[in-house]
Amino acid sequence: MKNALQRVKQRLSHAHVGGVDWFWPAEEDVARFESPGTVRLLTPFDPVVWDRDRFELLWGWLYRFEAYTPAPKRKLGYYAMPLLWRDRVVGWANLSVEKGRLKSEFGYVESRAPYDRSFKRELAAELDRMRFFLSIGS
């Protein structure tokens, strides 16, 4: 088992940053990677989200899935979805459908949305994708 793990590690590039070992496929050039400028809503069950320690390590704030938390104790919301923009999780969204329309409420790590036109445009595009996915109107 130990030899198999060593062979796998040899095929991966790695770095030790902040006391953590990070691994990625050797053929990927992470120095040349440019994060897309899109906004994405991440489900609480996305692997990058449900690993709470990694989430906090990557983005510096605590996320908890609160669907099973009593309503008065919730901080982010029943089904808060982290809001990824470029390479940062800048906040969270709570979405619901009321009277056939998508209702959205947002919270932000820095108390307000990023001040950038592209963020607003990309957030609107992500909400449009969600409406399409749910087969509902605006």
Side-chain angles (χ1 to χ4, degrees):
M1 178 76 160
K2 188 175 181 181
N3 289 335
L5 184 58
Q6 288 174 338
R7 284 193 303 273
V8 169
K9 284 184 175 181
Q10 287 173 350
R11 293 192 315 245
L12 299 173
S13 294
H14 67 279
H16 188 78
V17 179
V20 177
D21 287 315
W22 298 94
F23 295 89
W24 61 91
E27 63 275 3
E28 286 187 20
D29 185 357
V30 294
R32 301 188 94 205
F33 175 76
E34 184 175 327
S35 61
T38 55
V39 169
R40 293 289 190 234
L41 292 166
L42 304 175
T43 74
F45 304 106
D46 186 299
V48 78
V49 176
W50 61 256
D51 184 334
R52 295 189 242 175
D53 292 335
R54 179 176 51 192
F55 185 94
E56 188 174 2
L57 183 66
L58 289 173
W59 290 295
W61 62 278
L62 192 61
Y63 170 82
R64 296 288 185 259
F65 180 57
E66 299 177 332
Y68 303 108
T69 303
K73 293 184 177 183
R74 291 182 192 141
K75 296 178 183 172
L76 304 181
Y78 173 76
Y79 196 87
M81 294 183 285
L83 190 60
L84 177 69
W85 180 48
R86 297 181 178 154
D87 62 352
R88 297 182 313 143
V89 176
V90 297
W92 59 93
N94 284 284
L95 304 180
S96 59
V97 177
E98 291 183 8
K99 298 179 183 177
R101 296 200 171 269
L102 184 66
K103 179 182 173 192
S104 53
E105 297 175 355
F106 301 96
Y108 294 96
V109 176
E110 295 181 2
S111 301
R112 64 178 181 81
Y115 186 73
D116 187 307
R117 286 183 198 176
S118 66
F119 173 78
K120 292 177 185 177
R121 180 185 66 243
E122 291 299 326
L123 178 58
E126 179 68 347
L127 293 175
D128 285 342
R129 286 186 289 273
M130 185 62 73
R131 284 184 197 94
F132 179 79
F133 175 76
L134 296 171
S135 299
I136 59 174
S138 357

